[in-house]
Amino acid sequence: MGAQLPTDELWQVVDRERAALADLLAGLGAEEWETPTRCGDWRVRDVAAHLTIGARCPVRVVLREAVRARGNFDRMIHDSALREARLPVTEIVAHLRSIVGSRRMAPLTTPRESLLDVLVHGQDIALALGRTREMPPEAARDAADRVWTMRIPPRPWPLPRARLVATDIEWTRGEGEEIRGPIAALLLLLTGRPEAARVWFERGGAKEAEEPPWTPAVVAER
């Protein structure tokens, strides 16, 4: 099996991930919704709100947000999530449930970005809350391969100067010092989350070192 999932299978994974994440969020207490994540300055509620936007907002809303952000794509994503996060948490959960089954995507993205988004942000939420949220290896491999190859939209994370080798599924990319670990760990490393990746490396049996190979020191644009 290749790194890329068939489109129908990919969307089925996205649907399952969205539904499971909505179930997790529905059971959170008020304080848990305000928990800081490692995704910039976003709290759990901000990450959850962000996940509902791309599949719900029409192009005119996206254009309006782009104007507000003065054309800065990263600022648009950040600020739109903060505004959406002002909604009651019950509405955020309802919005996430409402896009289960949707095949709508944010402009300039593919279904693979929808998969990448829910997998990685699902980890942002779960790890902030001290929860374990499994990541399907085939889906994580697809997402990791998308990060490695993406050009449009531009990849916002530098690639590690290393050879990445998944230990739970067939996938290898890059050159240099070898970094071995579960594909979920490699995906989190590729998306600029070395501390979150550390959790998965350690779950996969990687031993602590003075300078672990998944620290930011090995991360730089190729």
Side-chain angles (χ1 to χ4, degrees):
M1 186 180 202
Q4 190 167 347
L5 293 173
T7 301
D8 286 346
E9 185 176 344
L10 183 153
W11 280 119
Q12 289 170 18
V13 175
V14 171
D15 287 342
R16 290 195 296 269
E17 291 294 312
R18 286 172 173 171
L21 188 57
D23 289 342
L24 185 156
L25 292 168
L28 298 184
E31 291 185 0
E32 290 177 302
W33 278 95
E34 306 302 322
T35 303
T37 72
R38 290 180 174 140
C39 189
D41 62 352
W42 282 356
R43 303 157 296 173
V44 166
R45 69 186 302 132
D46 303 313
V47 178
H50 164 72
L51 284 171
T52 72
I53 294 174
R56 290 177 44 248
C57 293
V59 174
R60 68 177 182 277
V61 173
V62 175
L63 292 175
R64 184 186 69 203
E65 292 290 338
V67 170
R68 289 173 107 170
R70 299 181 181 180
N72 186 310
F73 185 72
D74 290 337
R75 183 187 301 166
M76 179 185 74
I77 292 174
H78 175 272
D79 293 352
S80 62
L82 295 185
R83 280 190 283 273
E84 192 75 7
R86 296 171 187 165
L87 293 171
V89 296
T90 53
E91 288 190 40
I92 296 174
V93 174
H95 284 163
L96 186 55
R97 291 197 193 282
S98 75
I99 62 173
V100 174
S102 172
R103 301 297 177 256
R104 190 174 186 174
M105 298 169 289
L108 302 178
T109 67
T110 72
R112 299 182 83 190
E113 275 72 64
S114 297
L115 177 66
L116 172 63
D117 221 26
V118 73
L119 289 179
V120 173
H121 286 312
Q123 292 298 313
D124 289 331
I125 290 171
L127 292 172
L129 296 170
R131 310 286 183 92
T132 298
R133 181 174 170 80
E134 296 302 325
M135 198 185 295
E138 293 83 2
R141 176 173 62 183
D142 186 303
D145 206 64
R146 177 56 178 157
V147 176
W148 192 270
T149 60
M150 71 193 306
R151 299 293 181 270
I152 299 176
R155 183 181 58 249
W157 313 283
L159 293 177
R161 292 182 297 185
R163 177 175 172 80
L164 306 184
V165 181
T167 54
D168 54 350
I169 196 167
E170 186 177 348
W171 189 80
T172 302
R173 293 289 184 275
E175 298 177 352
E177 180 181 2
E178 189 171 284
I179 300 176
R180 301 176 63 86
I183 189 65
L186 301 180
L187 173 59
L188 292 170
L189 183 64
L190 283 168
T191 53
R193 293 160 169 82
E195 290 305 315
R198 179 193 298 269
V199 175
W200 278 91
F201 278 115
E202 291 172 352
R203 286 177 188 168
K207 294 182 179 179
E208 188 70 28
E210 289 186 10
E211 185 67 22
W214 54 85
T215 60
V218 302
V219 179
E221 187 64 58
R222 294 175 61 83

